[in-house]
Amino acid sequence: GKSALGKVFLNELIDIQKYKNSQAERWCLFLDAKLFRKDLQTLWSKVQSFAEPVIEKFIQTKYRLLVVDNFDSIPPSSQQILKRIMESFSGTLKYLFICPDPKTCMTGFVLNKSTNIRTRAISERDALQVILTICNQHRIGFEREGIKAIFAAHTNRSLSKM
């Protein structure tokens, strides 16, 4: 889904830049906002500490990339802190916010500074192929009726919940 697409995008950027893992960790931060839903202060302090250090000479780009998955877990009232961080580090920090619909989960400032990319829902055939591939790779036994039950329970085909 959206999260996987974000991770693929990051991996492609890291490959293009030819970064080693240690360099990539200094250049990019991937956070899942869902994990900080009850403690947004910790989320903001992680973002702040990532944004503050001077970019090392061996990193070939002048920007750092912050990826916030499940951005819809951050209430609009708490996005004011993000606005201040975005304004303070606008010259060195770029963002990728992952959420189902930006218009329903982003405040005006964040939404106005964003480029929105829409993705189609995964087809049932493709979702089935992913599930079967995972089962086969990990030698997980399954029955046809069990797979049907999973799809019946998750009609939106959210692979992260299947």
Side-chain angles (χ1 to χ4, degrees):
K2 295 175 295 302
S3 302
L5 181 61
K7 289 177 182 177
V8 167
F9 175 75
L10 285 179
N11 288 334
E12 288 297 315
L13 279 177
I14 289 167
D15 286 348
I16 289 169
Q17 298 292 340
K18 295 180 177 41
Y19 290 147
K20 296 177 182 151
N21 283 344
S22 60
Q23 290 173 312
E25 289 170 8
R26 291 184 186 112
W27 175 74
C28 178
L29 178 63
F30 190 97
L31 295 172
D32 186 347
K34 241 186 218 181
L35 301 176
F36 301 96
R37 194 177 338 194
K38 294 184 179 172
D39 187 13
L40 288 173
Q41 189 56 43
T42 301
L43 173 68
W44 298 137
S45 64
K46 284 184 177 291
V47 170
Q48 186 80 24
S49 63
F50 173 72
E52 283 179 348
V54 178
I55 296 178
E56 292 83 358
K57 292 178 184 173
F58 62 85
I59 294 183
Q60 300 144 357
T61 180
K62 64 179 185 171
Y63 297 109
R64 288 177 166 213
L65 181 62
L66 170 66
V67 180
V68 181
D69 193 11
N70 295 304
F71 191 80
D72 51 318
S73 297
I74 302 170
S77 59
S78 299
Q79 292 179 25
Q80 189 63 28
I81 297 168
L82 178 63
K83 177 183 176 186
R84 285 196 297 272
I85 293 170
M86 289 175 77
E87 288 171 338
S88 299
F89 299 99
S90 64
T92 58
L93 199 57
K94 299 298 176 191
Y95 309 88
L96 176 60
F97 302 122
I98 302 171
C99 62
D101 184 5
K103 291 179 181 152
T104 61
C105 67
M106 292 183 178
T107 58
F109 176 83
V110 177
L111 189 58
N112 290 338
K113 298 285 184 184
S114 301
T115 299
N116 300 311
I117 301 170
R118 296 246 181 225
T119 58
R120 290 181 291 126
I122 189 169
S123 70
E124 187 169 327
R125 190 192 79 175
D126 290 343
L128 177 61
Q129 184 177 357
V130 168
I131 297 293
L132 294 177
T133 300
I134 291 169
C135 287
N136 290 330
Q137 283 178 344
H138 296 282
R139 299 184 197 344
I140 299 171
F142 59 89
E143 293 181 14
R144 189 175 176 169
E145 292 305 313
I147 299 291
K148 282 183 182 179
I150 289 172
F151 276 83
H154 300 282
T155 55
N156 65 352
R157 295 183 299 276
S158 173
L159 291 177
S160 62
K161 293 179 182 167
M162 287 185 158

